[in-house]
Amino acid sequence: MGGDRDEELLRGRVYGQDHDDPHPGPRPGRTYAELVGGPLDGLLLDVTDWTAEERRAGAVLETELSRYGFGGKTVYVPRGGDPARFDWTGDTR
């Protein structure tokens, strides 16, 4: 990642972190993918411990913000040519 991208990531909030967390942003030494579009647009997803295969598969993330509300999930896949960004493809139950 370039310097500008690093600064941009440092301002973000990480998916799954407590809303009350005094430091909801990214942590040093971790690897993040930016969620683009959909209900989680702009959040960061910690992919530090993911295998290459898991990253290629993308993520199905729980969120009350999906079109299905409580219990719904939203689907993100890595962007071709830019694995540091996961694009939204839709919602599911």
Side-chain angles (χ1 to χ4, degrees), residues 4-81:
D4 290 341
R5 175 96 170 112
D6 290 344
E7 288 177 30
E8 180 184 323
L9 285 175
L10 290 176
R11 291 190 294 268
R13 194 169 78 71
V14 178
Y15 169 82
Q17 287 203 346
D18 251 357
H19 294 288
D20 296 337
D21 189 330
H23 305 289
R27 308 244 193 272
R30 307 295 294 176
T31 302
Y32 298 92
E34 180 183 1
L35 301 176
V36 180
L40 303 177
D41 184 49
L43 292 182
L44 303 175
L45 180 64
D46 188 340
V47 296
T48 304
D49 298 324
W50 292 27
T51 66
E53 184 176 321
E54 288 171 326
R55 287 188 195 190
R56 281 191 301 274
V60 178
L61 305 170
E62 293 183 10
T63 180
E64 294 178 15
L65 301 174
S66 79
R67 73 183 255 195
Y68 299 106
F70 182 77
K73 297 178 174 98
T74 192
V75 182
Y76 287 85
V77 297
R79 181 179 292 180

